[in-house]
Structure formats: C-alpha cells, structure tokens
Amino acid sequence: MSKPTPKTRGRKPPRGSFVTFEGTEGAGKSTLIAAFADLLRSRGRETVTTREPGGSSVAEKIRAVILNEPMHPWTEAFLYEAARAEHLNQTIRPALERGAIVLCDRFTDSTLAYQGAARGLDWNTLRRLNDIATDGLKPKLTVFVDIDPGRGLRDAKDPNRFEAEGVAFQTKVRKGFLRAMREEPKRFVKVTARSGTPETMAAELLGKIGRRIGVEAKTGAKR
Ligand code: TYD
C-alpha cells in the first residue's frame, strides 16, 4: 500500500467512474470489458481495465496462491480482501483520482457470492470485510453478466479450482449475485451473457449506463 490512510472514510469520492463486472464462470465478462473499454476510449475517455484477484504486483502474487492451492474458506476470504486492499490503493484509486473510468473484472460482490453464498461464510461479516478492504469505496455501477451456470461451465477450458467445483457450486454463486443485486438494486445493471457480439453488447451497455458514467451513448465525449 502506498501510504497508510487511517482516516480516509468520508473522503471526497474520486472524480472518475468505477464500474465492476460480475458473473459466474464462462459469462464472457472479460470479452465484454475489452469491447466496452475500446468503445469508451474511442469516445476519448481514459479507461483502465483491471481484474480481481490481481491488478497490482502484490495482488497478482496473492492470486497465484489463491487460485492454485486448496485452503480454509476464511483464509481464502482474507487473501481476496488482502489482494483487494492492495489493488484498490495501487491501481483503482489513483486511476479514479486522475478522472479515468475503471472497469474491473470481479470485485466485492464476488466475495459475497463465492465465499458467502457458495462456501457458506457469513454474508454480513464478508460485507464488513469488503468495507474494510475498500475503505468504503464502492463501485458506481456493477454489471452482472448473467448466464445459465451449466452453459458457462461447459465452455471453461483449463478450469481453476472454483470452476472444477461444478454446476451446483456455480448455481449457489449465481444466487449470491442475485441476492447482492436485490440488496442494492440501484448499483446493479443486469445483462444477458452472449446476447450479441461483444461489440453490439458493448454498444447496448453504453446506451444503458453511459449517462451515469458521463459518456454520451451516441456522439462525442462528455465530462
Ligand atoms: P479467474 O480465472 O480470473 O476467473 P474468471 O475469469 O471467472 O473471473 O479466477 C478468479 C476466481 O476467483 C473465480 O473463480 C472467482 C473467484 N473469486 C472469489 O472466489 N472471490 C473473490 O472475491 C474474487 C474476486 C474472485
């Protein structure tokens, strides 16, 4: 972490827009993020794409541990949160302070869905941990890319240990995302996975959320 910031809560929110993408395995989040980033850049907006776990040097090291070795569910939860604190301070917050749009592949809702709904850890404790790791910084918007869990898993090549848990696990994960959506409906936008090409889906998404992130859907760039 760059500097310890014990008293940052209540700090002015940074200027940029923070958008996260969530979903079960095989929803095509990363392709949609890449196409959406191209579209935003073509409108003249600095756009940073990043992912969790990872997105900074230390967090990528933590990622290699989490994804490859079995461990106690709380160890897993704390490692995700540790990676998140680092990622937020090293990558996300600086980009938002420059005024960039940050598109992040997975964030706090994945902890609720995977460690909470699927692994069975206490949902509200995880919410508190998320809040501590992010210092209260929340995404402006979260795009939930919904797919039938069976369909998503069929296409997973070289499955990581979460994908290897199968459809029952992914179904619990999906329920977790739906619960998170119900709890904060204003933050979420739901899109149907693979409902078009990445480019048409990106254009549709811009139509849905452009105004909220300060970008006109049709022409020109707006701040
Ligand atoms: P990754 O290979 O990046 O999968 P995907 O392309 O589906 O995002 O692996 C990330 C895995 O980590 C994924 O299976 C979801 C899981 N995860 C959690 O369990 N908790 C979390 O907080 C996060 C961010 C991810």
Side-chain angles (χ1 to χ4, degrees), residues 25 29 63 67 80 84 106 110-111 114-115 160 162:
E25 311 297 336
K29 286 178 284 99
R63 173 187 176 91
L67 293 188
Y80 279 114
R84 181 162 299 139
R106 300 196 179 282
S110 277
T111 306
Y114 281 79
Q115 282 64 56
N160 68 29
F162 295 91

Side-chain angles (χ1 to χ4, degrees), residues 172-184:
K172 288 186 198 162
V173 172
R174 179 169 180 272
K175 283 195 180 138
F177 284 128
L178 294 175
R179 174 174 174 186
M181 260 181 84
R182 278 197 307 277
E183 289 181 356
E184 288 177 86

